[in-house]
Amino acid sequence: MEVGLKPPGMTVTIVGSQLGDEGKGGVVDLYGDEVDVVARYQGGDNAGHTVVFGEEEYKLSLVPSGAIRGKVGVLGNGCVVNPETLFAEIDGLRERGLDPDVRVAERAHVILPYHRVLDGIEETAKEDSDLDAGTTGRGIGPTYEDKIGRRGIRIGDLLDPDSLRTKLEYVVPQKRALAEDVFGATTDEAFDIGSLYEQYRRYGERLAEEEMTVNAGGFLTERIEAGENVMFEGAQGTSIDIDHGDYPYVTSSNPTAGYAATGTGVGPTVVGRGEVIGIVKAYLTRVGTGELPTELGSVEGQTPEDGGRPEMADLATEIRDEGGEYGTVTGRPRRVGWLDVPMIRHAARVSGFTGLAINHIDVLAGMDEVEVGHSYDLDGEEILTMPPTSKQWARCEVNYRRFDGWPEADWEAVAAEGYDAIPENARTYLEYISDELDTPIYAVGVGPGREQTVIVETPFA
């Protein structure tokens, strides 16, 4: 390296280790002071992030969490972007006195109104089958379908009116026929070429006027080479990854660390030489359908009548209410279960965690006993990680381990004093998780605020 040149910046990738809702936004915020850029690499406005900053709480579904702290936010090419949501969130943050700097990859695909309509129609059609994935209805899956089918509209097309018109004239008649002829639905202006053209052309004009669009890979590479630190922010969690999750009860993209490269345009060696932090909730939650072997009770309308352990339904309600376990995007009550260690072993292998942030141990305080699913029995054999198919996972019987509970504490004081101030039984629980994953603990969340986090390691050190 030449004298006087800054060394390249560092990268940290944030990955949910479970089924989403692990507290990723809070971890992005926790390490945010040392970050210059936060880049989302997949998903869309189906991803809820809650960030507590001082006395203020911010709920975001698309804008990267780092924007709250004045960091540059990038929506990478692996994201699907609803411009209406994007501008509504930006305008809402400006009304609250913030000035978010958000850039959008020109290669990112655009969610259009017909995607949202078709998402709802298809989920309704699946309600009587076992294929209902419990989507947010935000049009995420249909947009990714069009991306793979090479008929999608990208952010760059919104900047070119002729390209936008040509692509709409090609795809909209197909979508209208699908809605009307296959599903028997009545279509409206969500399927009108002229209306869509005018609305999305104006979005393109605003993107251009505010200089928001970038070639994400080039933009991020230049910032890293200039010595800036970049955080790659995943949405959702490993067990609903389209390739590595509980298919078909999954999201339509890859929350795992490997997609941080594909979904932003930086090289895999850039991601690989940085840190990958797995975010773990001290228990387990899930919204919608799909397997949940360690489930406590059930949520009416979301699980079969015989789902979970009915005798523990009251405990599930207690944890749900104490932890605020209701969807950021949908408001739906989350299903609750004990920590599922085979699930997070799978996540650690898939993404190559270098550190762990374990959240919400305060929610479990005051219980006499805390359980974890340590392993499964599948067809007479003990297995330590998730099996490949949903049908196999459904046949798994959980082998539990039990831990003595820990008392309530002044969690803000615990965070200030450090790791040794965490109640002893809670530390035993945390160290069990770390040992099982062979991964060190970097942070422990003991409350929703940044000041209620025990920092053990700083990944940018």
Side-chain angles (χ1 to χ4, degrees):
M1 185 179 68
E2 296 181 31
V3 175
L5 291 181
K6 292 180 66 176
M10 300 177 66
T11 70
V12 171
T13 303
I14 302 296
V15 178
S17 68
Q18 294 154 304
L19 291 148
D21 307 314
E22 300 96 346
K24 296 179 292 296
V27 175
V28 173
D29 182 60
L30 175 68
Y31 294 123
D33 285 346
E34 297 173 272
V35 172
D36 300 288
V37 182
V38 178
R40 280 270 309 272
Y41 57 84
Q42 45 77 224
D45 58 341
N46 59 333
H49 295 294
T50 301
V51 177
V52 178
F53 182 22
E55 299 299 318
E56 296 289 326
E57 182 177 84
Y58 300 88
K59 292 183 180 294
L60 304 173
S61 60
L62 189 58
V63 169
S65 304
I68 302 301
R69 291 191 172 274
K71 309 302 179 178
V72 177
V74 177
L75 296 174
N77 54 275
C79 295
V80 290
V81 179
N82 184 333
E84 181 179 1
T85 302
L86 175 63
F87 289 128
E89 289 192 1
I90 289 173
D91 292 344
L93 291 173
R94 287 174 176 168
E95 289 170 4
R96 297 177 69 175
L98 301 179
D99 186 22
D101 182 355
V102 180
R103 314 299 176 90
V104 188
E106 290 192 26
R107 290 186 171 95
H109 281 248
V110 179
I111 300 172
L112 286 104
Y114 53 75
H115 290 128
R116 298 180 69 139
V117 173
L118 289 167
D119 196 353
I121 290 172
E122 186 165 359
E123 281 297 291
T124 299
K126 290 178 177 178
E127 282 180 350
D128 295 330
S129 73
D130 63 353
L131 299 177
D132 176 12
T135 77
T136 59
R138 298 297 180 99
I140 307 299
T143 306
Y144 277 114
E145 287 180 40
D146 281 354
K147 175 179 179 176
I148 299 303
R150 298 182 295 277
R151 55 182 173 269
I153 293 173
R154 304 200 293 183
I155 290 292
D157 295 317
L158 305 189
L159 309 178
D160 182 343
D162 290 340
S163 176
L164 176 60
R165 169 70 77 167
T166 298
K167 292 193 172 185
L168 286 170
E169 288 176 347
Y170 172 73
V171 72
V172 171
Q174 297 179 35
K175 300 302 176 184
R176 189 185 305 119
L178 177 61
E180 295 176 347
D181 300 343
V182 176
F183 292 108
T186 300
T187 56
D188 55 17
E189 64 179 11
F191 297 82
D192 180 76
I193 293 171
S195 175
L196 293 169
Y197 172 75
E198 288 301 325
Q199 181 182 6
Y200 283 77
R201 179 183 60 80
R202 289 194 296 272
Y203 287 142
E205 289 174 352
R206 180 170 175 180
L207 288 165
E209 287 168 3
E210 299 192 18
E211 299 181 343
M212 292 176 64
T213 61
V214 293
N215 177 351
F219 178 83
L220 293 168
T221 299
E222 288 175 5
R223 303 298 285 256
I224 293 168
E225 289 178 349
E228 296 187 9
N229 293 332
V230 173
M231 182 173 284
F232 299 111
E233 179 182 13
Q236 291 93 31
T238 300
S239 290
I240 54 172
D241 182 290
I242 187 69
D243 286 296
H244 303 291
D246 180 27
Y247 189 90
Y249 311 105
V250 292
T251 193
S252 300
S253 58
N254 295 98
T256 41
Y259 203 72
T262 304
T264 62
V266 304
T269 52
V270 173
V271 176
R273 70 172 176 249
E275 297 267 13
V276 178
I277 300 180
I279 316 303
V280 179
K281 185 180 285 184
Y283 49 95
L284 188 58
T285 60
R286 180 169 200 163
V287 171
T289 51
E291 299 305 324
L292 196 62
T294 63
E295 185 166 13
L296 302 171
S298 61
V299 176
E300 185 178 355
Q302 292 194 26
T303 58
E305 290 183 2
D306 59 349
R309 298 159 73 183
E311 74 279 7
M312 292 193 170
D314 289 344
L315 179 58
T317 299
E318 179 183 333
I319 293 173
R320 183 181 303 111
D321 291 343
E322 180 69 23
E325 296 297 351
Y326 297 86
T328 303
V329 172
T330 64
R332 288 182 291 186
R334 296 170 183 152
R335 298 159 59 190
V336 175
W338 293 123
L339 182 69
D340 187 319
V341 177
M343 179 185 291
I344 58 176
R345 288 192 193 101
H346 170 70
R349 178 186 58 79
V350 170
S351 287
F353 295 158
T354 60
L356 301 173
I358 304 176
N359 290 322
H360 293 309
I361 69 164
D362 56 302
V363 174
L364 300 180
M367 297 181 184
D368 293 333
E369 188 175 73
V370 173
E371 297 184 46
V372 299
H374 176 78
S375 64
Y376 305 138
D377 282 339
L378 176 60
D379 299 334
E381 177 185 356
E382 184 183 28
I383 60 173
L384 297 177
T385 189
M386 286 176 62
T389 73
S390 181
K391 293 294 186 184
Q392 291 171 325
W393 204 24
R395 298 203 310 273
C396 286
E397 295 183 6
V398 182
N399 299 312
Y400 288 96
R401 287 197 179 178
R402 292 169 175 81
F403 292 81
D404 291 335
W406 49 89
E408 291 285 358
D410 180 343
W411 295 109
E412 200 162 317
V414 167
E417 292 177 30
Y419 184 80
D420 288 342
I422 295 173
E424 182 179 0
N425 288 348
R427 280 185 279 127
T428 299
Y429 184 76
L430 293 168
E431 286 153 17
Y432 159 79
I433 297 170
S434 176
D435 289 345
E436 289 299 318
L437 302 186
D438 194 24
T439 306
I441 295 171
Y442 279 16
V444 181
V446 294
R450 189 187 198 196
E451 70 283 355
Q452 293 168 303
T453 304
V454 177
I455 300 174
V456 181
E457 297 283 349
T458 301
F460 290 105

